[in-house]
Amino acid sequence: MSALSRLDRDVLAQASVRTAVVFEGVDDLRSGMSAREVVAGLRELADRGRARGLRMLAATILPCGGEARCTAAVDAERLAVNSWIRDTGVFDAVLDFDGVVRDPAHPERMRAGYDSGDHLHPGDAGLAALAESVDLTLL
């Protein structure tokens, strides 16, 4: 999880940071990491941020069904990570981005109107939906 190596530079070294949002994991899962490994990395990010006095928020991992490396096995790992994010209380708050963009009829995929076309990244409408879903009082 490359976010572990970037945390100091990208977050902790910034002046006046009070809150960090962790939105990581899909590339790790698509590259063969297990849910257990991703969870360990997320836990470490939360612990390191909290040790510096930050509020740590986590976003659930978006669905990526239809993308070549987003197999059913990857989706099962994604669901396990998302369950952990939602249920463990390791983070100060959860942004349920998966719930915002997933297609109710095909929850392993993004809604067509939110998909950029690559089945991995949200397009403009998807990004707007994610932004609108954030409770700004959490920040």
Side-chain angles (χ1 to χ4, degrees):
M1 179 174 274
S2 63
L4 292 170
S5 64
R6 296 189 323 262
L7 182 67
D8 289 332
R9 180 196 71 209
D10 292 352
V11 179
L12 301 179
Q14 303 305 310
S16 303
V17 173
R18 296 179 308 206
T19 303
V21 177
V22 178
F23 185 28
E24 294 288 331
V26 72
D27 289 335
D28 300 308
L29 295 173
R30 290 172 52 249
S31 296
M33 287 181 78
S34 68
R36 183 183 50 78
E37 292 169 308
V38 171
V39 162
L42 293 172
R43 183 180 294 278
E44 183 177 338
L45 289 170
D47 290 346
R48 286 174 55 196
R50 281 217 186 102
R52 294 287 295 272
L54 299 182
R55 282 182 40 82
M56 297 298 292
L57 283 59
T60 54
I61 301 172
L62 303 183
C64 59
E67 192 274 332
R69 293 189 325 188
C70 193
T71 63
V74 167
D75 194 55
E77 298 292 306
R78 179 186 73 84
L79 292 172
V81 173
N82 283 350
S83 291
W84 179 85
I85 290 170
R86 289 181 183 111
D87 298 338
T88 61
V90 167
F91 289 90
D92 296 301
V94 173
L95 307 175
D96 192 6
F97 285 177
D98 169 53
V100 171
V101 301
R102 75 174 166 248
D103 181 339
H106 302 281
E108 74 284 358
R109 294 178 174 261
M110 269 188 267
R111 294 176 194 219
Y114 290 163
D115 190 340
S116 68
D118 68 0
H119 308 298
L120 183 60
H121 301 95
D124 291 344
L127 292 171
L130 294 178
E132 290 171 13
S133 75
V134 176
D135 175 356
L136 297 180
T137 64
L138 296 173
L139 305 176

